[in-house]
């Protein structure tokens, strides 16, 4: 099996996945949101490709010295194979190369799978945003320090 390549997401990649975004990847991000994210200022999106097929994507907002991880989404049939970790590690590498000191993200408090992915990469829970995703849908705020020059 060909190894996974992590590349910067292009508009061509977007055109490929926009029709099957909710069915194959995730049901809480629609194509229009993804497109506006992709074109957003200071945003960078990555894709994971295997044999030319997009098997996952992830996005970040860079605002040095901080970075926010916007999302990581792996194709439903390709989860639990380490692809989310590959995308997350690439974002950590980008952070280290861009003088980022702290990375933040929000994750649905019920999304224990994503929370485990982030905890495994060294993210810690630093707060809760009540009803962030709607009534009764709390977000957990997580953070990780990188390039901590004060140490
Ligand atoms: C969360 C998500 C990105 C994880 O991607 P993935 O490629 O499946 O994750 P990995 O295979 O790299 O797993 C990394 C770690 O996450 C945890 N994990 C991932 N899937 C898991 C599962 N089904 N059950 C338990 N733990 C799981 C484990 O700790 C795992 O490490 P391990 O394999 O050594 O046990 C993926 O499930 C997904 O796309 N979910 C829907 C979108 C989403 O919720 N994104 C996060 C929004 S912030």
């Amino acid at each position: 099996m060909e190894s996974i390549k992590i590349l910067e997401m292009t508009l061509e990649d977007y055109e490929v996945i926009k029709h099957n975004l909710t069915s194959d990847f995730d049901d809480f991000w629609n194509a229009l949101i993804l497109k506006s994210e992709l074109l957003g200022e200071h945003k960078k999106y990555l894709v994971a490709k295997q044999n030319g097929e997009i098997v996952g994507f992830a996005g970040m907002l860079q605002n040095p010295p901080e970075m926010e991880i916007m999302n990581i989404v792996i194709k439903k049939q390709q989860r639990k194979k380490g692809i989310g970790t590959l995308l997350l590690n690439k974002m950590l590498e980008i952070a280290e190369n861009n003088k980022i000191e702290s990375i933040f993200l929000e994750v649905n408090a019920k999304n224990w799978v994503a929370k485990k992915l982030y905890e495994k990469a060294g993210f810690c829970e630093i707060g809760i945003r009540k009803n962030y995703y709607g009534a009764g849908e709390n977000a957990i705020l997580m953070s990780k320090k990188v390039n901590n020059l004060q140490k």
Side-chain angles (χ1 to χ4, degrees):
M1 196 189 276
E2 197 195 292
S3 63
I4 310 273
K5 291 193 176 85
I6 307 292
L7 305 162
E8 195 158 333
M9 190 190 234
T10 63
L11 273 174
E12 288 73 30
D13 293 324
Y14 165 79
E15 291 296 327
V16 170
I17 59 171
K18 72 176 184 186
H19 296 298
N20 56 4
L21 189 62
T22 49
S23 57
D24 290 2
F25 287 86
D26 189 34
D27 56 7
F28 57 81
W29 263 30
N30 67 41
L32 281 178
I33 297 176
L34 179 59
K35 188 169 186 185
S36 68
E37 281 283 308
L38 187 57
L39 299 175
E41 214 181 342
H42 307 301
K43 301 260 173 83
K44 189 195 276 290
Y45 272 73
L46 304 172
V47 282
K49 284 190 184 175
Q50 188 170 40
N51 300 319
E53 181 197 350
I54 297 171
V55 290
F57 63 88
M60 69 208 97
L61 167 66
Q62 292 189 79
N63 189 15
E66 295 182 355
M67 174 191 273
E68 186 175 350
I69 292 181
M70 308 307 293
N71 214 339
I72 304 182
V73 188
I74 307 305
K75 205 168 187 176
K76 286 174 186 168
Q77 309 94 305
Q78 304 290 344
R79 291 180 186 172
K80 203 73 183 79
K81 294 181 181 177
I83 304 170
T85 302
L86 283 180
L87 282 163
L88 185 53
N89 286 345
K90 185 68 187 177
M91 290 195 284
L92 295 178
E93 186 189 313
I94 290 170
E96 286 188 3
N97 291 336
N98 287 280
K99 300 193 166 37
I100 300 293
E101 291 175 13
S102 305
I103 310 180
F104 297 92
L105 62 89
E106 281 111 13
V107 58
N108 192 312
K110 291 175 184 160
N111 192 352
W112 60 272
V113 168
K115 201 167 164 257
K116 277 188 83 171
L117 165 79
Y118 295 125
E119 280 170 350
K120 205 179 155 206
F123 282 80
C124 299
E125 191 173 328
I126 55 165
I128 290 184
R129 296 194 200 277
K130 291 228 165 184
N131 304 319
Y132 185 78
Y133 300 108
E137 298 289 323
N138 298 340
I140 293 176
L141 182 61
M142 301 183 86
S143 168
K144 177 180 168 76
K145 293 261 180 241
V146 278
N147 286 321
N148 192 344
L149 303 173
Q150 260 101 68
K151 267 187 186 168

